Amino acid sequence: MFNARYFRTFITLVETGSFTRTARRLEMTQPGVSQHVRKLEEYLGKPLLDRQGRRFVLTESGRRAYDYALKLFAEHEQFRHSLDNDSLDSGECRLASPGSVGLMLYPFILGQQQMQPGLTVSYSFAFNGEIVADVLGGRHDLGIITEAVRHPDLDCEPWHQEPLCLVVPADFAGNGLADLMGIGFINYSGGEDHAGALLRANFPDFRSMSHFPRQGFTNEVSMVLDAVARGLGFTVVSRVVLETSPWQRQVKELSLPQPVHETLHLVMRAGEQMPRRYVRLLEGYREQRRHERFGFGEGPERHEA
């Protein structure tokens, strides 16, 4: 029969290297320690120790059992912390977002994990449809998506906004729709909708993105500015993508009078309460973005960060 106490005794024995010290640490008798090890060997059907008088070394099975036991208890602690929704600095965070969001959010969360070693992070980069399916399937606790979704088993609410940026090659000299049509559009997943929204708000003569020559497509938004930097066309991306791009010095943003924002939404299974560690991470990220964009003054309203 599986007995976690036997594994705990075995871990302590390996760490101390002594039956006597193990008995003292676990407040057991030395024969009790020996019995736990013997019971574990019977359960696994393999000898775990090569006994050499009062000393011992681990057999190959013993080394594997020790590694497994460490993993077993580490996962147990993670699971235990994950049940504590009131904990701010411990537990597992399982979330997903599109690449345009994760380019900055994921490094931020890793920084928080460094300061709070009790946190563990499982972060997936995916498209909206995949994220929704994984939240429904229980593979993620939280999804961040760029389009609101309606589903009876999900709660979806707006969370954060980022400005959209019209990005052109660094040597681009035009400023009108005809000039943009002359160099063509670099598309990505969701890029056409972003471009249409921004151009429609700023150019009265804009009609449709179908009028723009297509100069290329990539399903990875973090790579789209490479094509722009090479002078192959223009695109419209979230400011996060522009700020984190290695090509930001080889492109430029055209200033436009009417700002348009991409709204990010949080999606969770219906009726579930968001653990406090998620709340702190999400609020901390929004606060960082406010400081980066507006400094440490009052800034805009919180829901528009």
Side-chain angles (χ1 to χ4, degrees):
M1 180 182 296
F2 176 84
N3 190 318
R5 289 186 62 197
Y6 298 161
F7 281 99
R8 174 60 74 188
T9 301
F10 182 63
I11 289 175
T12 307
L13 177 62
V14 174
E15 290 175 347
T16 63
S18 164
F19 282 85
T20 302
R21 287 191 291 270
T22 298
R24 188 180 304 122
R25 179 179 295 184
L26 298 180
E27 297 181 345
M28 298 172 59
T29 65
Q30 187 170 327
V33 173
S34 298
Q35 183 185 45
H36 280 195
V37 174
R38 185 169 62 253
K39 291 286 188 180
L40 185 58
E41 288 178 323
E42 292 174 359
Y43 171 71
L44 297 174
K46 298 287 184 180
L48 303 179
L49 305 178
D50 181 5
R51 294 168 174 82
Q52 303 170 356
R54 300 182 62 180
R55 306 182 63 184
F56 66 85
V57 295
L58 293 178
T59 64
E60 176 62 24
S61 295
R63 286 191 290 272
R64 294 178 63 184
Y66 176 68
D67 292 340
Y68 170 76
L70 290 178
K71 180 180 179 182
L72 177 72
F73 282 96
E75 290 180 347
H76 168 76
E77 286 301 304
Q78 291 176 6
F79 172 70
R80 187 172 64 85
H81 286 307
S82 73
L83 296 178
D84 184 7
N85 285 354
D86 291 331
S87 175
L88 283 171
D89 55 9
S90 64
E92 185 177 14
C93 296
R94 302 186 307 155
L95 66 161
S97 78
S100 59
V101 183
L103 288 170
M104 191 170 286
L105 178 58
Y106 181 51
F108 171 82
I109 293 178
L110 290 181
Q112 297 302 302
Q113 185 181 4
Q114 287 180 295
M115 293 186 289
Q116 306 292 344
L119 289 175
T120 58
V121 178
S122 298
Y123 198 109
S124 296
F125 292 78
F127 297 116
N128 288 333
E130 297 173 87
I131 294 170
V132 170
D134 283 344
V135 171
L136 280 169
R139 290 176 289 277
H140 303 311
D141 299 322
L142 175 70
I144 301 172
I145 54 179
T146 56
E147 297 177 5
V149 63
R150 290 185 178 182
H151 192 285
D153 297 325
L154 294 174
D155 290 332
C156 183
E157 62 181 41
W159 166 58
H160 178 64
Q161 291 186 325
E162 285 286 345
L164 294 177
C165 303
L166 176 56
V167 186
V168 296
D171 59 357
F172 181 74
N175 56 19
L177 282 183
D179 301 313
L180 293 173
M181 288 183 185
I183 61 173
F185 179 63
I186 307 293
N187 197 14
Y188 60 93
S189 300
E192 188 170 298
D193 291 338
H194 286 159
L198 186 61
L199 296 180
R200 188 174 296 108
N202 285 277
F203 296 95
D205 51 342
F206 174 81
R207 292 295 178 266
S208 170
M209 286 302 299
S210 63
H211 297 160
F212 290 81
R214 293 297 189 273
Q215 295 296 96
F217 172 88
T218 174
N219 66 348
E220 180 50 68
V221 65
S222 64
M223 298 298 296
V224 72
L225 294 190
D226 186 6
V228 178
R230 296 170 187 263
L232 299 177
F234 78 94
T235 196
V236 173
V237 295
S238 163
R239 183 168 298 282
V240 167
V241 176
L242 179 58
E243 290 181 6
T244 57
S245 174
W247 298 283
Q248 59 181 298
R249 296 184 182 277
Q250 285 77 52
V251 300
K252 66 180 179 182
E253 177 188 0
L254 286 190
S255 179
L256 298 174
Q258 296 298 324
V260 174
H261 293 79
E262 175 185 59
T263 300
L264 305 176
H265 303 265
L266 302 179
V267 59
M268 296 180 59
R269 288 184 294 277
E272 293 192 0
Q273 183 178 5
M274 186 182 298
R276 293 178 65 204
R277 59 184 176 275
Y278 283 101
V279 175
R280 185 168 73 170
L281 287 173
L282 295 172
E283 284 301 312
Y285 175 76
R286 293 207 307 172
E287 190 68 23
Q288 174 179 282
R289 289 300 290 150
R290 275 192 291 271
H291 292 163
E292 289 171 345
R293 290 177 52 202
F294 306 108
F296 287 85
E298 294 184 2
E301 294 297 323
R302 294 179 65 86
H303 68 276
E304 293 184 352

